[in-house]
Amino acid sequence: YIREGKLDIGIILMIRDVTERRLAEEELSESEAKFRWLFENVPDGIYLSTRDGKLVDINETLVQMLGYNSKLELLAADITNELYMDSSERTKWVGMLETTGRLHNVELDLKRKNGQSLVVRENAQLLTDRHGKSYYEGTLTDITEIKKAERALRSSEIRFRSVWENSVEGMRLTDKDGIIIAANRAFCNLVEMEIQNII
């Protein structure tokens, strides 16, 4: 108000255009909401931890993957002693992360809350926030079933190779045109030819 004596003679108003700031705040809020939705709904476990092994943020997928009852319960876990099958393994991977700044497709043997083994593929990076504090950020993909299938396949291949090589019956493998592409020792003996002359 502008006064002259006891008399109000006018008003001075100051107006500031905050449209751009308001739009920026709304865009930031939308972006954070999208990120949070993605963080919570991807099929991989996501984490943010301190360099000394304290979880700061995790998604629900990681909670389920590791068999914990809640985020709070997992956030309270000691990464080195409660999540690794072999606690020295964390020291090795942290050393690599500190040296190179990232891990790419590293296989880890982790431990679920109930003690069962969990094989994961980890991708991680070292990051520093605007205050200069450093963290590890990463994703974990459960590959336990893939590793079991690979072991079963290797075992099956070994058994097949053993039967193939040690059979007293002559065996050969042909392509769709009837051309021999493999033969076992018994087949070579049966036709009295060396393998290189048969294939």
Side-chain angles (χ1 to χ4, degrees):
Y1 286 96
I2 300 172
R3 305 190 102 182
E4 212 174 82
K6 294 187 177 189
L7 201 60
D8 291 335
I9 59 169
I11 299 174
I12 296 177
L13 295 175
M14 295 183 69
I15 300 172
R16 181 179 297 156
D17 185 357
V18 294
T19 306
E20 285 185 28
R21 188 179 80 194
R22 179 68 58 95
L23 288 173
E25 288 172 353
E26 288 174 5
E27 286 176 9
L28 179 61
S29 179
E30 284 178 24
S31 177
E32 288 174 349
K34 287 176 188 173
F35 170 78
R36 181 51 57 182
W37 185 91
L38 188 63
F39 184 84
E40 291 300 340
N41 290 285
V42 295
D44 293 333
I46 302 175
Y47 70 87
L48 179 69
S49 75
T50 61
R51 293 165 97 169
D52 63 352
K54 179 80 178 130
L55 289 167
V56 175
D57 197 7
I58 51 177
N59 69 349
E60 188 60 36
T61 302
L62 188 59
V63 175
Q64 299 301 315
M65 188 184 297
L66 293 170
Y68 282 76
N69 297 319
S70 68
K71 282 188 178 185
L72 286 175
E73 184 182 27
L74 181 53
L75 286 169
D78 174 357
I79 292 175
T80 304
N81 297 314
E82 293 179 57
L83 302 184
Y84 279 81
M85 290 302 268
D86 176 2
S87 60
S88 67
E89 197 174 0
R90 181 172 191 274
T91 305
K92 171 182 151 184
W93 296 121
V94 163
M96 183 183 287
L97 192 52
E98 290 288 335
T99 303
T100 65
R102 61 186 36 225
L103 297 176
H104 182 67
N105 287 338
V106 171
E107 288 187 15
L108 303 176
D109 290 315
L110 297 183
K111 183 172 33 177
R112 290 186 169 101
K113 182 184 173 190
N114 63 8
Q116 289 181 333
S117 175
L118 172 73
V119 183
V120 297
R121 183 174 294 125
E122 179 174 22
N123 289 290
Q125 66 178 346
L126 176 63
L127 61 89
T128 305
D129 69 15
R130 64 182 183 198
H131 305 295
K133 189 163 183 180
S134 296
Y135 297 91
Y136 301 138
E137 175 183 62
T139 62
L140 301 173
T141 305
D142 183 353
I143 59 169
T144 306
E145 294 306 314
I146 293 170
K147 298 308 279 184
K148 283 180 185 174
E150 286 175 358
R151 283 193 296 273
L153 180 60
R154 275 195 300 275
S155 176
S156 175
E157 287 172 350
I158 290 168
R159 286 193 306 273
F160 170 77
R161 181 63 50 197
S162 177
V163 169
W164 177 268
E165 293 298 331
N166 298 312
S167 176
V168 293
E169 301 292 328
M171 293 187 278
R172 64 180 171 29
L173 182 63
T174 63
D175 67 13
K176 63 182 174 90
D177 297 321
I179 296 174
I180 296 173
I181 56 174
N184 68 353
R185 176 59 36 207
F187 185 83
C188 293
N189 293 339
L190 184 66
V191 297
E192 298 179 348
M193 294 175 69
E194 291 299 317
I195 188 73
Q196 62 268 24
N197 297 324
I198 294 172
I199 294 173

